[in-house]
């Protein structure tokens, strides 16, 4: 029986004034996306319209989610609107699930124009939680500011959107689904793919799976405890670490993706992954890890709960690239870190914490080879297999060779946006004043002299674009640092101000001190010059990491 082509409709709408994507895409309370008429449709239309029509027609896009509440409904709308806007092919993860690193991998492998990821990262899920939409561009990385600004410009004047409301897909059925649309010469195609397979194939080409499997299954097998925090990483952990690499099934917990992540924020830190921390402190496991909802953030723990700061983790991985077949063959062209990240990586390359050849990006930009999430876990397991050492031994030897960078971050969440804005504005005025450059701060027996202070901006070496207002940075003469950043992706729960503190210690005899004790004087300076407690009414940060 012949069926009629699916109608393409044009729906009248009115613009919203709050749809400029922030540092992690557009993130709001789920109720905003679900309850405000046309809110989701407006943003998706703005995103699609930001792509030149000549590039958009017939192109391929990737769509995935971290499985949070409202993802399925939003995926259906995206499919209907992509079809109506001339996209030729959508590649979607099974049941709508794809981790952020997997989306990036697939974009590059199939040469897609980009990918839409439905996630609010580590923010809570469920009907009263958060929802977000990220757009990764053709190189697999997050949208640059130019793309975000274009989306924002479209959103401010949007008057209509195109949609095929009668188009229905089955996210549970692997394979190709084709649809005939009105005013289309070619059928619109949706491909539901295995969420893990393409990413797994990439990992096989990078790591020595046999070496890792021997580590996890041999007579002296390393016992793992991996917490997927009921996010998208559950299927990846099960398939790759357990099925492929031989870790026992009980090595992985919380591996079923849940719409509310089990009622806890899927944030892999010492606070929200406390059950992992407690399990590791018992001494039964030699390696532990946790992941956030979409699989890009991670936490590494060693035996007895030895915590590896993410910045130390990156530096250790960079120092041990020879453990990875891919890098032994291909070499490495360079390293990149965000401005707010610890300078531990700089010391590795230059041997000097203040002079480096590291590419320093805005905090939003990440490495395209995805040195985070499950990639990082496999990297660590490779290093442990090659060096035959524990996590703690590897880290302590690294500190002895390159020095230790004591580093922490204070998060003040859910602040009044106006209070946060004026606090940062006034703080910037203080630190860019010429008089500040001669400031000396005495705290106890510590004296810190300001060497440099600025509102950091980044000039892209490829296209020359400038990313401004990336954070307030104060560098002291002994390589200590303070960084203040304001996050605009607070999910409708206000604004977040983050304070980063760092102090370098070369002497191995002083590498066993408590981080908060070492950084206490710097934090005192940060609180004094920002006056953050008095201006926000807070007694302290929500999270310390």
């Amino acid at each position: 029986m012949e069926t009629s082509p699916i109608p393409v409709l044009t729906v009248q709408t009115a613009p919203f004034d709050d749809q400029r994507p922030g540092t992690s895409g557009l993130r709001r309370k789920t109720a905003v996306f679900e309850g405000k008429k046309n809110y989701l449709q407006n943003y998706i239309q703005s995103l699609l319209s930001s792509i030149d029509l000549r590039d958009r027609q017939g192109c391929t896009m990737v769509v995935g989610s971290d499985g949070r509440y409202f993802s399925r409904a939003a995926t259906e709308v995206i499919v209907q609107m992509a079809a109506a806007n001339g996209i030729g092919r959508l590649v979607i993860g099974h049941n709508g699930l794809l981790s952020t690193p997997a989306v990036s991998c697939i974009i590059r492998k199939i040469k897609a124009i980009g990918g839409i990821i439905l996630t609010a990262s580590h923010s809570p899920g469920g009907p009263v939680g958060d929802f977000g939409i990220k757009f990764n561009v053709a190189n697999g990385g997050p949208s640059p500011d130019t793309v975000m600004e274009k989306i924002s410009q479209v959103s401010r004047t949007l008057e209509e959107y195109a949609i095929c409301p009668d188009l229905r897909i089955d996210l549970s059925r692997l394979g190709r689904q084709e649809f005939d649309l009105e005013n289309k010469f070619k059928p619109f195609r949706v491909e539901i793919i295995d969420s893990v397979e393409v990413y797994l194939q990439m990992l096989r080409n990078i790591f020595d799976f046999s070496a890792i499997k021997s580590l996890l299954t041999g007579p002296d097998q390393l016992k793992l405890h991996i917490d997927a925090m009921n996010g998208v990483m559950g299927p990846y952990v099960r398939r790759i670490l357990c099925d492929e690499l031989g870790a026992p099934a009980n090595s992985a917990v919380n591996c079923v993706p849940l719409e509310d992540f089990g009622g806890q924020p899927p944030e892999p830190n010492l606070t929200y992954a406390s059950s992992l921390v407690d399990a590791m402190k018992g001494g039964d496991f030699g390696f532990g890890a946790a992941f956030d909802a979409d699989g890009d953030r991670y936490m590494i723990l060693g035996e007895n709960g030895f915590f590896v700061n993410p910045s130390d983790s990156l530096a250790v991985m960079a120092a041990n690239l020879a453990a990875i077949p891919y890098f032994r063959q291909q070499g490495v062209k360079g390293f990149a870190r965000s401005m707010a990240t610890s300078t531990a990586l700089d010391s590795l390359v230059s041997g000097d914490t203040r002079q480096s050849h590291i590419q320093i990006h805005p905090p939003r930009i990440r490495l395209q080879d995805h040195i985070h999430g499950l990639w990082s876990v496999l990297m660590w397991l490779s290093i442990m297999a090659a060096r035959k050492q524990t996590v703690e031994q590897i880290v302590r030897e690294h500190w002895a060779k390159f020095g230790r960078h004591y580093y922490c971050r204070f998060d003040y969440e859910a602040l009044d946006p106006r209070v946060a804005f004026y606090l940062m504005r006034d703080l910037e005025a203080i630190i860019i004043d010429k008089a500040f450059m001669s400031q000396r701060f005495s705290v106890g027996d510590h004296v810190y002299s300001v060497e440099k202070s600025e509102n950091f901006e980044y000039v892209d070496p490829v296209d020359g674009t400038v990313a401004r207002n990336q954070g307030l940075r104060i560098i002291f003469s002994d390589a200590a640092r303070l960084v203040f950043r304001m996050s605009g992706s607070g999910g409708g729960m206000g604004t977040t101000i983050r304070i980063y503190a760092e102090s370098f210690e070369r002497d191995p005899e002083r590498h066993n001190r408590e981080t908060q004790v070492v950084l206490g004087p710097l934090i005192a300076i940060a609180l004094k010059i920002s006056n953050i407690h008095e201006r926000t009414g807070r007694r302290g940060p929500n999270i310390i990491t």
Side-chain angles (χ1 to χ4, degrees):
M1 179 178 173
E2 192 171 323
T3 58
S4 301
I6 298 173
V8 178
L9 304 183
T10 299
V11 180
Q12 300 302 305
T13 189
F16 295 91
D17 61 3
D18 64 343
Q19 291 201 332
R20 189 192 192 285
T23 54
S24 298
L26 184 68
R27 192 179 298 177
R28 296 287 180 266
K29 299 301 294 181
T30 306
V32 174
F33 281 101
E34 188 177 30
K36 276 191 177 183
K37 184 180 178 181
N38 294 340
Y39 194 87
L40 171 66
Q41 290 84 346
N42 272 32
Y43 187 71
I44 297 302
Q45 185 63 62
S46 300
L47 189 158
L48 295 172
S49 295
S50 72
I51 305 170
D52 189 278
L53 183 60
R54 292 167 296 182
D55 297 326
R56 190 169 76 229
Q57 288 188 322
C59 76
T60 296
M61 290 186 70
V62 181
V63 179
S65 79
D66 61 13
R68 68 181 57 234
Y69 177 80
F70 193 58
S71 291
R72 280 182 171 265
T75 298
E76 185 169 84
V77 170
I78 289 168
V79 172
Q80 294 170 345
M81 295 186 66
N85 279 274
I87 304 296
R89 171 189 177 213
L90 287 183
V91 175
I92 306 176
H94 190 218
N95 293 316
L97 298 174
L98 279 177
S99 72
T100 291
V103 169
S104 177
C105 171
I106 295 167
I107 288 172
R108 286 176 283 150
K109 182 176 180 60
I110 67 175
K111 294 179 170 55
I113 199 170
I116 297 174
I117 312 168
L118 304 178
T119 179
S121 189
H122 56 284
S123 297
V128 298
D130 297 348
F131 192 78
I133 303 173
K134 296 196 293 190
F135 180 55
N136 280 22
V137 291
N139 66 8
S143 297
D145 287 342
T146 51
V147 173
M148 290 189 176
E149 182 55 36
K150 195 168 184 180
I151 295 172
S152 179
Q153 288 175 2
V154 175
S155 75
R156 291 196 295 267
T157 58
L158 193 71
E159 295 181 348
E160 62 185 28
Y161 62 85
I163 192 168
C164 298
D166 295 337
L167 193 157
R168 296 286 184 269
I169 60 166
D170 183 356
L171 292 174
S172 67
R173 178 164 62 89
L174 292 172
R176 179 183 300 180
Q177 303 169 43
E178 292 192 348
F179 306 88
D180 287 321
L181 311 178
E182 289 181 350
N183 304 322
K184 292 273 288 181
F185 295 105
K186 295 181 180 179
F188 171 67
R189 190 169 74 201
V190 174
E191 293 178 25
I192 308 298
I193 64 168
D194 184 300
S195 300
V196 180
E197 185 60 31
V198 174
Y199 191 59
L200 172 56
Q201 291 292 346
M202 181 194 75
L203 296 176
R204 284 196 187 110
N205 292 329
I206 294 175
F207 297 98
D208 183 345
F209 270 33
S210 62
I212 299 175
K213 189 168 186 176
S214 296
L215 179 71
L216 302 183
T217 60
D220 299 319
Q221 69 178 40
L222 176 70
K223 292 185 178 180
L224 307 182
H225 193 67
I226 310 295
D227 190 345
M229 302 192 81
N230 294 120
V232 76
M233 290 306 296
Y236 294 83
V237 169
R238 288 277 190 216
R239 177 88 164 274
I240 298 171
L241 289 178
C242 299
D243 298 347
E244 186 84 9
L245 294 172
N250 62 5
S251 300
V253 299
N254 299 321
C255 286
V256 178
L258 300 176
E259 290 189 335
D260 67 348
F261 310 115
Q264 294 292 326
E267 183 163 3
N269 60 32
L270 297 173
T271 300
Y272 293 121
S274 58
S275 60
L276 171 67
V277 176
D278 293 340
M280 293 302 297
K281 285 181 178 178
D284 294 330
F285 305 99
F287 183 88
F291 304 101
D292 72 344
D294 66 323
D296 57 1
R297 294 192 185 196
Y298 70 98
M299 178 174 69
I300 300 292
L301 295 172
E303 190 174 2
N304 300 317
F306 182 83
F307 171 67
V308 183
N309 184 287
S311 297
D312 279 335
S313 177
L314 178 59
V316 167
M317 288 189 283
N320 289 274
L321 292 178
I324 313 303
Y326 175 86
F327 290 114
R328 285 201 300 269
Q329 298 162 8
Q330 303 291 330
V332 62
K333 296 178 181 178
F335 301 99
R337 67 170 177 84
S338 71
M339 176 274 292
T341 304
S342 161
T343 56
L345 188 63
D346 304 42
S347 296
L348 168 69
V349 174
S350 66
D352 187 310
T353 60
R354 287 165 290 178
Q355 304 293 327
S356 87
H357 302 288
I358 297 292
Q359 187 66 58
I360 303 176
H361 294 289
R364 175 173 49 79
I365 294 178
R366 298 168 180 156
L367 292 177
Q368 287 186 15
D369 279 329
H370 289 281
I371 303 185
H372 45 59
L374 188 57
W375 203 104
S376 297
V377 167
L378 295 181
M379 186 83 173
W380 266 98
L381 295 177
S382 299
I383 295 169
M384 295 176 75
R387 295 182 55 159
K388 296 178 172 51
Q389 290 179 303
T390 67
V391 170
E392 183 171 355
Q393 287 171 338
I394 292 169
V395 172
R396 291 195 179 280
E397 281 195 12
H398 183 90
W399 288 343
K401 183 175 182 179
F402 298 105
R404 181 176 181 182
H405 292 255
Y406 287 95
Y407 177 81
C408 75
R409 189 185 87 193
F410 284 17
D411 289 7
Y412 291 83
E413 298 178 330
L415 300 176
D416 181 291
R418 287 178 59 83
V419 171
F421 171 81
Y422 286 115
L423 186 155
M424 292 293 287
R425 185 199 65 178
D426 294 346
L427 180 59
E428 179 179 5
I430 291 172
I431 72 164
I432 66 173
D433 189 282
K434 288 184 178 180
F436 190 78
M437 289 300 297
S438 60
Q439 285 272 15
R440 289 166 57 88
F441 295 92
S442 297
V443 183
D445 58 351
H446 298 270
V447 178
Y448 297 89
S449 300
V450 176
E451 184 176 88
K452 182 178 181 180
S453 55
E454 63 181 350
N455 188 336
F456 180 75
E457 62 180 45
Y458 169 75
V459 180
D460 191 294
V462 178
D463 60 15
T465 57
V466 181
R468 294 185 171 85
N469 300 314
Q470 297 300 310
L472 305 179
R473 181 170 68 164
I474 305 170
I475 301 174
F476 298 94
S477 54
D478 61 352
R481 298 192 312 151
L482 284 173
V483 175
F484 299 80
R485 289 195 65 240
M486 184 170 68
S487 171
S489 56
M493 298 177 66
T495 298
T496 297
I497 289 180
R498 295 188 172 97
I499 302 176
Y500 305 78
E502 178 177 16
S503 182
F504 177 69
E505 180 57 65
R506 173 67 69 184
D507 185 0
E509 297 296 321
R510 298 172 66 83
H511 286 172
N512 293 321
R513 303 166 69 200
E514 286 291 330
T515 297
Q516 298 303 320
V517 173
V518 174
L519 298 177
L522 275 175
I523 294 297
I525 295 170
L527 299 181
K528 178 181 179 180
I529 63 175
S530 67
N531 211 22
I532 190 169
H533 289 171
E534 291 76 5
R535 296 189 65 157
T536 64
R538 300 290 179 85
R539 294 183 177 180
N542 300 81
I543 299 174
I544 301 176
T545 56

mmCIF file of all heavy atoms in Angstrom, residues 245-273:
data_model
loop_
_atom_site.group_PDB
_atom_site.id
_atom_site.type_symbol
_atom_site.label_atom_id
_atom_site.label_comp_id
_atom_site.label_asym_id
_atom_site.label_seq_id
_atom_site.Cartn_x
_atom_site.Cartn_y
_atom_site.Cartn_z
ATOM 1 N N LEU A 245 37.416 -6.528 28.205
ATOM 2 C CA LEU A 245 38.714 -6.572 28.880
ATOM 3 C C LEU A 245 38.746 -7.505 30.083
ATOM 4 O O LEU A 245 39.793 -7.659 30.715
ATOM 5 C CB LEU A 245 39.133 -5.159 29.300
ATOM 6 C CG LEU A 245 39.406 -4.216 28.123
ATOM 7 C CD1 LEU A 245 39.614 -2.792 28.603
ATOM 8 C CD2 LEU A 245 40.615 -4.688 27.323
ATOM 9 N N GLY A 246 37.618 -8.125 30.386
ATOM 10 C CA GLY A 246 37.630 -9.212 31.355
ATOM 11 C C GLY A 246 37.452 -8.862 32.811
ATOM 12 O O GLY A 246 37.561 -9.738 33.678
ATOM 13 N N ALA A 247 37.189 -7.599 33.141
ATOM 14 C CA ALA A 247 36.938 -7.261 34.540
ATOM 15 C C ALA A 247 35.654 -7.956 34.990
ATOM 16 O O ALA A 247 34.687 -8.051 34.232
ATOM 17 C CB ALA A 247 36.819 -5.757 34.718
ATOM 18 N N PRO A 248 35.603 -8.469 36.214
ATOM 19 C CA PRO A 248 34.382 -9.120 36.701
ATOM 20 C C PRO A 248 33.179 -8.177 36.634
ATOM 21 O O PRO A 248 33.331 -6.963 36.772
ATOM 22 C CB PRO A 248 34.729 -9.465 38.151
ATOM 23 C CG PRO A 248 36.222 -9.526 38.191
ATOM 24 C CD PRO A 248 36.693 -8.500 37.203
ATOM 25 N N ALA A 249 32.007 -8.733 36.417
ATOM 26 C CA ALA A 249 30.799 -7.919 36.274
ATOM 27 C C ALA A 249 30.556 -7.049 37.491
ATOM 28 O O ALA A 249 30.047 -5.920 37.383
ATOM 29 C CB ALA A 249 29.598 -8.816 36.002
ATOM 30 N N ASN A 250 30.930 -7.559 38.683
ATOM 31 C CA ASN A 250 30.688 -6.772 39.902
ATOM 32 C C ASN A 250 31.714 -5.665 40.103
ATOM 33 O O ASN A 250 31.694 -4.964 41.117
ATOM 34 C CB ASN A 250 30.613 -7.677 41.132
ATOM 35 C CG ASN A 250 31.914 -8.437 41.387
ATOM 36 O OD1 ASN A 250 32.913 -8.234 40.697
ATOM 37 N ND2 ASN A 250 31.894 -9.320 42.380
ATOM 38 N N SER A 251 32.642 -5.508 39.131
ATOM 39 C CA SER A 251 33.585 -4.387 39.196
ATOM 40 C C SER A 251 32.900 -3.062 38.918
ATOM 41 O O SER A 251 33.424 -2.005 39.266
ATOM 42 C CB SER A 251 34.711 -4.572 38.158
ATOM 43 O OG SER A 251 35.431 -5.744 38.383
ATOM 44 N N ALA A 252 31.749 -3.113 38.238
ATOM 45 C CA ALA A 252 31.050 -1.900 37.816
ATOM 46 C C ALA A 252 29.711 -1.793 38.523
ATOM 47 O O ALA A 252 28.957 -2.764 38.588
ATOM 48 C CB ALA A 252 30.850 -1.921 36.307
ATOM 49 N N VAL A 253 29.420 -0.607 39.021
ATOM 50 C CA VAL A 253 28.151 -0.375 39.719
ATOM 51 C C VAL A 253 27.432 0.822 39.103
ATOM 52 O O VAL A 253 28.031 1.636 38.403
ATOM 53 C CB VAL A 253 28.372 -0.128 41.226
ATOM 54 C CG1 VAL A 253 29.023 -1.343 41.882
ATOM 55 C CG2 VAL A 253 29.233 1.117 41.457
ATOM 56 N N ASN A 254 26.139 0.893 39.368
ATOM 57 C CA ASN A 254 25.291 1.992 38.875
ATOM 58 C C ASN A 254 25.415 2.151 37.362
ATOM 59 O O ASN A 254 25.605 3.258 36.852
ATOM 60 C CB ASN A 254 25.639 3.299 39.588
ATOM 61 C CG ASN A 254 25.410 3.229 41.087
ATOM 62 O OD1 ASN A 254 24.440 2.634 41.547
ATOM 63 N ND2 ASN A 254 26.306 3.824 41.850
ATOM 64 N N CYS A 255 25.301 1.026 36.652
ATOM 65 C CA CYS A 255 25.513 1.025 35.205
ATOM 66 C C CYS A 255 24.224 1.087 34.393
ATOM 67 O O CYS A 255 24.279 1.017 33.164
ATOM 68 C CB CYS A 255 26.308 -0.206 34.795
ATOM 69 S SG CYS A 255 28.054 -0.093 35.228
ATOM 70 N N VAL A 256 23.093 1.197 35.033
ATOM 71 C CA VAL A 256 21.829 1.332 34.306
ATOM 72 C C VAL A 256 21.489 2.817 34.197
ATOM 73 O O VAL A 256 21.258 3.469 35.220
ATOM 74 C CB VAL A 256 20.685 0.583 35.014
ATOM 75 C CG1 VAL A 256 19.365 0.789 34.265
ATOM 76 C CG2 VAL A 256 21.006 -0.903 35.128
ATOM 77 N N PRO A 257 21.472 3.386 32.991
ATOM 78 C CA PRO A 257 21.129 4.813 32.851
ATOM 79 C C PRO A 257 19.714 5.079 33.358
ATOM 80 O O PRO A 257 18.764 4.401 32.970
ATOM 81 C CB PRO A 257 21.233 5.059 31.337
ATOM 82 C CG PRO A 257 22.152 3.983 30.843
ATOM 83 C CD PRO A 257 21.848 2.789 31.688
ATOM 84 N N LEU A 258 19.588 6.038 34.240
ATOM 85 C CA LEU A 258 18.293 6.403 34.808
ATOM 86 C C LEU A 258 17.986 7.861 34.495
ATOM 87 O O LEU A 258 18.891 8.701 34.439
ATOM 88 C CB LEU A 258 18.295 6.198 36.330
ATOM 89 C CG LEU A 258 18.554 4.773 36.826
ATOM 90 C CD1 LEU A 258 18.624 4.754 38.353
ATOM 91 C CD2 LEU A 258 17.477 3.810 36.330
ATOM 92 N N GLU A 259 16.718 8.156 34.325
ATOM 93 C CA GLU A 259 16.327 9.520 33.947
ATOM 94 C C GLU A 259 16.666 10.538 35.018
ATOM 95 O O GLU A 259 16.838 11.717 34.724
ATOM 96 C CB GLU A 259 14.833 9.559 33.629
ATOM 97 C CG GLU A 259 14.464 8.839 32.342
ATOM 98 C CD GLU A 259 13.030 9.083 31.930
ATOM 99 O OE1 GLU A 259 12.190 9.388 32.821
ATOM 100 O OE2 GLU A 259 12.733 8.999 30.720
ATOM 101 N N ASP A 260 16.739 10.093 36.288
ATOM 102 C CA ASP A 260 17.094 11.027 37.374
ATOM 103 C C ASP A 260 18.424 10.668 38.012
ATOM 104 O O ASP A 260 18.765 11.191 39.071
ATOM 105 C CB ASP A 260 15.996 11.057 38.429
ATOM 106 C CG ASP A 260 15.852 9.741 39.183
ATOM 107 O OD1 ASP A 260 16.449 8.723 38.735
ATOM 108 O OD2 ASP A 260 15.156 9.715 40.201
ATOM 109 N N PHE A 261 19.180 9.748 37.367
ATOM 110 C CA PHE A 261 20.498 9.316 37.849
ATOM 111 C C PHE A 261 20.440 8.789 39.279
ATOM 112 O O PHE A 261 21.392 8.933 40.048
ATOM 113 C CB PHE A 261 21.523 10.446 37.735
ATOM 114 C CG PHE A 261 21.545 11.083 36.374
ATOM 115 C CD1 PHE A 261 21.170 12.406 36.191
ATOM 116 C CD2 PHE A 261 21.909 10.348 35.257
ATOM 117 C CE1 PHE A 261 21.162 12.983 34.929
ATOM 118 C CE2 PHE A 261 21.901 10.920 33.993
ATOM 119 C CZ PHE A 261 21.530 12.232 33.825
ATOM 120 N N GLY A 262 19.308 8.208 39.622
ATOM 121 C CA GLY A 262 19.162 7.640 40.955
ATOM 122 C C GLY A 262 18.956 8.671 42.041
ATOM 123 O O GLY A 262 19.110 8.373 43.224
ATOM 124 N N GLY A 263 18.613 9.881 41.639
ATOM 125 C CA GLY A 263 18.335 10.934 42.617
ATOM 126 C C GLY A 263 19.552 11.705 43.080
ATOM 127 O O GLY A 263 19.434 12.589 43.934
ATOM 128 N N GLN A 264 20.733 11.402 42.526
ATOM 129 C CA GLN A 264 21.960 12.097 42.911
ATOM 130 C C GLN A 264 22.543 12.845 41.719
ATOM 131 O O GLN A 264 22.424 12.386 40.581
ATOM 132 C CB GLN A 264 22.998 11.091 43.428
ATOM 133 C CG GLN A 264 22.618 10.407 44.715
ATOM 134 C CD GLN A 264 22.611 11.362 45.897
ATOM 135 O OE1 GLN A 264 23.404 12.300 45.968
ATOM 136 N NE2 GLN A 264 21.710 11.132 46.840
ATOM 137 N N PRO A 265 23.197 13.987 41.947
ATOM 138 C CA PRO A 265 23.887 14.645 40.834
ATOM 139 C C PRO A 265 24.973 13.723 40.289
ATOM 140 O O PRO A 265 25.778 13.196 41.060
ATOM 141 C CB PRO A 265 24.499 15.900 41.476
ATOM 142 C CG PRO A 265 23.711 16.122 42.728
ATOM 143 C CD PRO A 265 23.314 14.764 43.203
ATOM 144 N N PRO A 266 25.008 13.487 38.983
ATOM 145 C CA PRO A 266 26.019 12.597 38.411
ATOM 146 C C PRO A 266 27.355 13.311 38.256
ATOM 147 O O PRO A 266 27.883 13.461 37.146
ATOM 148 C CB PRO A 266 25.405 12.231 37.057
ATOM 149 C CG PRO A 266 24.626 13.452 36.672
ATOM 150 C CD PRO A 266 24.092 14.027 37.950
ATOM 151 N N GLU A 267 27.909 13.732 39.375
ATOM 152 C CA GLU A 267 29.154 14.511 39.353
ATOM 153 C C GLU A 267 30.254 13.721 40.029
ATOM 154 O O GLU A 267 30.182 13.432 41.231
ATOM 155 C CB GLU A 267 28.966 15.856 40.047
ATOM 156 C CG GLU A 267 30.200 16.717 39.986
ATOM 157 C CD GLU A 267 29.928 18.179 40.287
ATOM 158 O OE1 GLU A 267 28.787 18.534 40.594
ATOM 159 O OE2 GLU A 267 30.884 18.973 40.194
ATOM 160 N N PRO A 268 31.301 13.336 39.294
ATOM 161 C CA PRO A 268 32.351 12.479 39.850
ATOM 162 C C PRO A 268 33.358 13.251 40.691
ATOM 163 O O PRO A 268 34.469 13.549 40.251
ATOM 164 C CB PRO A 268 32.997 11.891 38.593
ATOM 165 C CG PRO A 268 32.828 12.957 37.556
ATOM 166 C CD PRO A 268 31.518 13.629 37.866
ATOM 167 N N ASN A 269 32.966 13.584 41.899
ATOM 168 C CA ASN A 269 33.908 14.227 42.816
ATOM 169 C C ASN A 269 33.804 13.564 44.182
ATOM 170 O O ASN A 269 32.998 12.649 44.393
ATOM 171 C CB ASN A 269 33.666 15.741 42.893
ATOM 172 C CG ASN A 269 32.270 16.090 43.392
ATOM 173 O OD1 ASN A 269 31.683 15.383 44.198
ATOM 174 N ND2 ASN A 269 31.734 17.190 42.906
ATOM 175 N N LEU A 270 34.627 14.010 45.106
ATOM 176 C CA LEU A 270 34.699 13.365 46.419
ATOM 177 C C LEU A 270 33.411 13.506 47.210
ATOM 178 O O LEU A 270 33.160 12.726 48.131
ATOM 179 C CB LEU A 270 35.875 13.957 47.202
ATOM 180 C CG LEU A 270 37.260 13.731 46.582
ATOM 181 C CD1 LEU A 270 38.327 14.500 47.361
ATOM 182 C CD2 LEU A 270 37.600 12.258 46.531
ATOM 183 N N THR A 271 32.585 14.489 46.840
ATOM 184 C CA THR A 271 31.313 14.696 47.551
ATOM 185 C C THR A 271 30.233 13.778 47.020
ATOM 186 O O THR A 271 29.609 13.023 47.783
ATOM 187 C CB THR A 271 30.864 16.163 47.404
ATOM 188 O OG1 THR A 271 31.864 17.021 47.961
ATOM 189 C CG2 THR A 271 29.530 16.389 48.115
ATOM 190 N N TYR A 272 29.980 13.820 45.724
ATOM 191 C CA TYR A 272 28.844 13.091 45.165
ATOM 192 C C TYR A 272 29.155 11.638 44.821
ATOM 193 O O TYR A 272 28.239 10.833 44.637
ATOM 194 C CB TYR A 272 28.314 13.819 43.927
ATOM 195 C CG TYR A 272 27.697 15.149 44.264
ATOM 196 C CD1 TYR A 272 28.174 16.328 43.704
ATOM 197 C CD2 TYR A 272 26.644 15.238 45.169
ATOM 198 C CE1 TYR A 272 27.617 17.560 44.028
ATOM 199 C CE2 TYR A 272 26.084 16.456 45.503
ATOM 200 C CZ TYR A 272 26.568 17.614 44.929
ATOM 201 O OH TYR A 272 26.019 18.825 45.248
ATOM 202 N N ALA A 273 30.413 11.296 44.706
ATOM 203 C CA ALA A 273 30.803 9.894 44.491
ATOM 204 C C ALA A 273 31.367 9.323 45.788
ATOM 205 O O ALA A 273 32.318 8.533 45.779
ATOM 206 C CB ALA A 273 31.809 9.780 43.357
#
